[in-house]
Amino acid sequence: MLFSRPRRKACLGLLALAASMAAGAQAAAHYPTKAITLVIAYPPGGSTDAVGRMVGTELAQRLKQPVVIENLGGAGGAIGAQKVARAPADGYTLLLSANNEMAIAPLINKAIKYRVFKDFTPISLVATQPMVLVASQSSGVKNTQEFLSLLRQNPGKYSYGSSGVGTALHIAGEMVQQAGNVAMTHVPYKGVAPLTNDLLGGSLDFGVFVLSSGLPHIRAGKVVALGTTEAKRSSVTPDIPALAETSAFARVDINSWFALMGPAKLPPQVQKALRAAIDDMLQSPSFRAKLEASGNVVAAPGQDMGAFLKAQVSKYQQIVETAKIEDR
């Protein structure tokens, strides 16, 4: 059978597309066959970096391929997330994400171009970690009742610090204020280090830390732990009460979390391989021990990361809208 030239070109185009799709499916079926880049959207040394490096090591062992860590900080995690959103959907560029860039930044920063539910494939939750509200020693506050009494008698006089506008620490601080019906001035810092310096030096009254960052200073008696931010006490620090144990803060339930994400439209075979590796990792006693030693609670295998992410975004959106938070 003879075809006209335009029709012949169309047929050849369809054949080329079919061949490309078949090659892509074959590549996905044998995934991975080369090194994987795991983007961590923060500088080295923080809690996300620590979790990411542990995940990278464990993934490399299970997938039998090198995992290269790429720290790409900036814009509260958005720069690293943007890189992964634009990466090919082949499983060779992944993101060890945190709530800042996945659930908070798109709500408060109009400059962010990616859309979480459109531009990413949720793979697996890895770990959660409570935050902790602390008081400086110079404040004289030792517990939540003293905290509430001081703030209610002096509305707006005292301040609390976080690691920046729109970070999980900032959102937690706003949740505390909304739940307790108290008012503090938010002081955003460029990271945890300057926040810590001012708290220890007494020039800042209160602060919010990720538990792993605050714990050394709490244990050393340099700051006072008023309570962790999840509904129940952390199994890692059973001696520190949950804020929710105080009736005024009964609705406070927020944490920091870490998850593996990929670009949108990851092939099902790639998703399956990654989820199997993560599930096996989450059940490893040695991996669990490492994560728990740094203040994390290890996620249960097989959780629906997509449903978890939707619930988190809904929670943060309510806080952001009430507090009128905007990152300019």
Side-chain angles (χ1 to χ4, degrees), residues 113-169:
K113 302 301 182 185
Y114 59 81
R115 296 295 177 263
V116 172
F117 298 108
K118 176 184 176 183
D119 296 329
F120 295 92
T121 298
I123 297 168
S124 179
L125 185 66
V126 175
T128 62
Q129 186 175 154
M131 288 163 276
V132 58
L133 177 67
V134 303
S136 67
Q137 288 290 357
S138 61
S139 72
V141 171
K142 301 299 181 186
N143 53 53
T144 52
Q145 293 299 337
E146 292 180 3
F147 173 73
L148 287 169
S149 177
L150 181 70
L151 295 185
R152 286 171 177 172
Q153 291 173 24
N154 303 276
K157 179 181 177 181
Y158 291 90
S159 57
Y160 83 95
S162 79
S163 55
V165 173
T167 61
L169 304 184

Side-chain angles (χ1 to χ4, degrees), residues 117 121-126 259-261 271 275 279 282 299-312:
F117 298 108
T121 298
I123 297 168
S124 179
L125 185 66
V126 175
L260 189 66
M261 307 285 289
Q271 294 185 45
R275 289 191 179 117
D279 284 353
L282 296 177
Q303 287 194 53
D304 185 337
M305 183 58 203
F308 174 85
L309 188 55
K310 287 180 181 178
Q312 290 290 298

